[in-house]
Amino acid sequence: MLDYFFIRDDLKVKSLEDLNGKRVAIPKDYAHEELIKKHFPKIKIISVDTFSAAIDAVLENHADMLYDTYGALTYTIEKEGINTIIPFKSTRNLGKKYIHIVTRKNAPELASIIQKGLDSISAHDKQVIYNKWLGNKQAKKITL
């Protein structure tokens, strides 16, 4: 997964270094908080309760930016009709990130069921899912 900074469209920044001193809204206990502290120690973290609260913090000027996976932010911002928070820069230089599904050790059958379900998704269905949630924006039909 590609992690990305999304900024308010009124910020005058051109590089990741320009984010020093700015405020990023991140939900409490998100793994991204540690990543920001480690790799971007001059960015101030504004802890909020939820993903929606992080977006509100930027919209209400309590924070300057968001940091999360590109797909999650793009989908949510578009779904909520927000046009003042825009993609800025990725952190792909920090290495690849993978999605993991965790189950309890004492429930191996649950892990097996989840894996069988994932394995049964065809390449075509994966593309349909991808297009619905992350891509193929031109094909989306707008209903008024």
Side-chain angles (χ1 to χ4, degrees):
M1 297 301 297
L2 181 62
D3 290 333
Y4 226 86
F5 283 103
F6 277 60
I7 62 171
R8 282 195 335 266
D9 65 353
D10 64 336
L11 285 185
K12 305 296 183 220
V13 293
K14 294 184 183 194
S15 70
L16 288 173
E17 290 77 30
D18 293 338
L19 298 180
N20 290 337
K22 303 287 188 246
R23 303 160 297 169
V24 62
I26 296 182
K28 292 174 188 156
D29 300 324
Y30 263 38
H32 290 119
E33 186 172 343
E34 291 305 314
L35 182 136
I36 296 291
K37 286 178 183 177
K38 178 179 179 182
H39 295 284
F40 303 97
K42 294 180 181 177
I43 292 176
K44 182 178 179 185
I45 296 173
I46 306 296
S47 287
V48 294
D49 291 327
T50 65
F51 189 63
S52 295
I55 293 170
D56 289 345
V58 175
L59 291 173
E60 296 167 5
N61 202 18
H62 300 295
D64 304 301
M65 63 192 141
L66 302 166
Y67 183 77
D68 208 326
T69 60
Y70 184 86
L73 284 169
T74 301
Y75 174 78
T76 303
I77 287 170
E78 182 179 305
K79 179 181 162 198
E80 295 190 12
I82 299 167
N83 61 6
T84 57
I85 299 175
I86 58 173
F88 176 61
K89 295 278 185 195
S90 80
T91 55
R92 79 172 66 244
N93 62 312
L94 300 179
K96 291 184 177 184
K97 308 285 186 306
Y98 298 95
I99 295 176
H100 300 276
I101 297 175
V102 179
T103 60
R104 294 187 331 256
K105 286 184 180 183
N106 65 351
E109 62 281 349
L110 177 58
S112 175
I113 292 167
I114 291 170
Q115 190 59 55
K116 285 179 186 173
L118 292 171
D119 292 343
S120 73
I121 301 172
S122 70
H124 175 265
D125 288 343
K126 285 179 186 177
Q127 188 63 50
V128 168
I129 292 166
Y130 176 86
N131 288 345
K132 177 179 180 179
W133 297 104
L134 302 174
N136 201 12
K137 304 241 182 269
Q138 296 83 8
K140 287 187 179 178
K141 184 177 179 182
I142 298 175
T143 307
L144 299 176

